[in-house]
């Protein structure tokens, strides 16, 4: 039997290896080429940290874990592992944001549960220890309930954004009550079951109350904010448990999530405060953007001829391309057009699809070379020189109202300037709205033609039409 100090040293070394795997994994996730291996590296790090912790708890006599405790731990690891494996295998790419929201929530909830246990032990701990547990527990609980509401909204279980006068003051009130209970617990005035239960109940309520009014188009920012908060909560509870792997993993997730939140907010041209406390993306004013005029349809054969004789085409992929899994057909069409001497570029909006980098991942999967892909800042000036902007299943990210119509709920969000192209061809199934639930002025412009149909089928027809055009 190895000595206690040997067990301790091996455990800490394993945590260091796990932490290095998290960081290297994250680094690899920043490019679509290495992203898959990055996920594997980080996942392996997590597996290592979990198994080492379990072995440590089993082996350390000082912890005195009962066999019931061990059985509960093994049962939880098995149940969590199986559920995550099965749901990860089954989830459609387009439902990934919901899944991320749910996993965020679980992380926050787990951190809050650790805090609850430590707080119930109360007087055994120093004030600093209790304060760290309380702050981590608060953040974890807010992130847990907020993420569940975000999940319900993305899943379509909650369709309305609940707003009423004085809502911000009510939220401030809930925050103050939660803080008051937190102070009572940490100061030792109250650390019994009722105070701790009320503390968590109000923190959970705050997460719900904060998230309910947030509109659809802001969900990407909210999800990444809760991701950052969950990381922070886990980091705090890592200090409470004196667990290096949790501290490092929590800090890495917290800082990565914070950067992502900033990037997403910037992509929507909004400050975080604006996302949390204003009415952007309100769907009850849906269609209120005041779009008038009618959409004009085009046949694939005519669209194909127009494209075959173009000099420059900019393709704008969106959520509908992901739903239809049309990326391979789109690449086939692109190669055909390039063979015809057409200059083809892809324009990617930072919030196109349903998760950050969604379009880049799909195009990479189909083998589209990176030098054909440009982001919003790089390509926006080029639409004016494009003969055709081909919009495939995108909607909100090309809505000119965001630029020109102050009354639009998405006014101020940077968009791809597809409306500046000489001709616009839009592939979508019908008159359906995008994620933010508003009409799109682009679809009724003089130079716009609608090619109705599922993206994969429509792009296949375009391929035939371009071939037929010679
Ligand atoms: P979008 O505005 O949601 O519009 C997608 C369009 O695709 C719909 O209008 C729909 O119209 C069409 N469509 C659906 N299925 C289709 C199919 N099988 N074939 C062809 N078309 C199909 O998409 P987007 O322009 O990519 O904008 C993304 C939106 O999602 C933004 O509002 C963004 O804020 C939000 N969001 C983004 C993220 C992120 O991280 N990227 C996360 C959450 C939310 P039809 O029904 O008529 O076909």
């Amino acid at each position: 039997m190895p000595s206690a100090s040997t067990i301790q040293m091996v455990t800490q070394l394993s945590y260091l290896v796990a932490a290095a795997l998290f960081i290297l994994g994250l680094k690899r996730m920043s490019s679509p080429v290495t992203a898959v291996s990055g996920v594997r590296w980080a996942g392996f790090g997590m597996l290592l940290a979990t198994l080492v912790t379990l072995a440590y708890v089993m082996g350390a006599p000082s912890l005195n874990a009962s066999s019931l405790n061990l059985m509960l731990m093994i049962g939880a690891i098995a149940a969590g592992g199986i559920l995550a494996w099965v749901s990860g295998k089954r989830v459609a790419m387009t439902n990934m944001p919901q899944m991320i929201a749910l996993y965020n929530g679980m992380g926050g909830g787990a951190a809050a549960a650790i805090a609850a246990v430590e707080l119930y032990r109360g007087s055994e701990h120093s004030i600093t220890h209790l304060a760290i547990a309380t702050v981590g527990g608060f953040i974890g609980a807010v992130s847990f309930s907020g993420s569940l509401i975000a999940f319900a909204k993305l899943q379509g279980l909650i369709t309305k954004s609940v707003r009423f006068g004085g809502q911000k003051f009510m939220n401030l009130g809930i925050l103050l009550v939660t803080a008051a209970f937190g102070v009572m617990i940490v100061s030792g005035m109250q650390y019994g079951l009722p105070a701790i239960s009320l503390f968590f109940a109000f923190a959970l309520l705050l997460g719900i109350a904060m998230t309910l009014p947030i509109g659809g188009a802001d969900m990407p920012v909210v999800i990444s904010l809760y991701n950052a908060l969950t990381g922070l909560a886990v980091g705090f509870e890592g200090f409470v448990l004196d667990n290096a792997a949790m501290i490092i993993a929590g800090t890495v997730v917290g800082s990565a999530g914070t950067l992502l939140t900033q990037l997403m907010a910037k992509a929507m041209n909004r400050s975080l405060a604006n996302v949390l406390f204003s009415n952007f993306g309100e769907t009850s004013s849906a269609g209120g953007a005041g779009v008038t005029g009618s959409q004009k349809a085009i046949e694939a054969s005519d669209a194909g001829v127009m494209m075959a004789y173009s000099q420059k085409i900019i393709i704008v992929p969106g959520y509908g391309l992901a739903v239809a899994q049309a990326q391979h057909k789109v690449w086939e069409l692109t190669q055909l057009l390039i063979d015809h001497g057409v200059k083809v570029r892809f324009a990617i909006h930072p919030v196109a699809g349903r998760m950050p980098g969604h379009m880049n991942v799909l195009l990479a999967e189909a083998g589209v070379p990176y030098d054909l892909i440009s982001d919003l800042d790089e390509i926006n000036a080029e639409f004016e020189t494009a003969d055709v902007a081909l919009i495939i299943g995108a909607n909100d990210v090309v809505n000119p109202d965001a630029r020109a119509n102050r009354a639009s709920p998405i006014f101020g969000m940077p968009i791809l300037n597809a409306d500046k192209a000489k001709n616009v061809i839009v592939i979508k199934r019908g008159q359906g709205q995008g994620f933010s639930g508003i009409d799109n002025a682009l679809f009724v412009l003089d130079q716009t033609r609608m090619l109705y149909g599922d993206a994969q089928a429509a792009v296949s027809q375009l391929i035939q039409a371009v071939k037929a055009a010679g």
Side-chain angles (χ1 to χ4, degrees), residues 3-42:
S3 69
S5 63
T6 313
I7 293 178
Q8 183 75 15
M9 196 183 74
V10 172
T11 307
Q12 295 302 335
L13 271 178
S14 307
Y15 284 164
L16 194 68
V17 173
L21 286 169
F22 295 153
I23 293 167
L24 289 174
L26 200 65
K27 169 86 182 71
R28 294 182 77 78
M29 282 180 225
S30 61
S31 156
V33 186
T34 50
V36 176
S37 67
V39 173
R40 288 205 184 108
W41 286 38

Side-chain angles (χ1 to χ4, degrees), residues 97 154 216-221 223 264 268 317-321 323-325 349-359 392-398 410 413 427-436 443 452-456:
L154 289 167
D218 275 336
M219 271 307 146
V221 187
I223 292 173
M264 298 296 274
M268 317 285 280
Y319 172 67
L321 175 128
V323 177
Q325 287 292 298
H349 191 284
V351 298
R354 289 293 181 271
M355 60 182 177
H358 199 167
M359 296 299 120
I392 308 179
N395 190 338
D396 294 342
V397 300
V398 287
I410 62 165
M413 176 174 121
I427 298 178
K428 70 201 290 286
R429 294 163 309 172
Q431 315 274 329
Q433 291 165 330
F435 188 79
S436 63
F443 301 162
Y452 292 117
D454 172 78
Q456 192 172 147

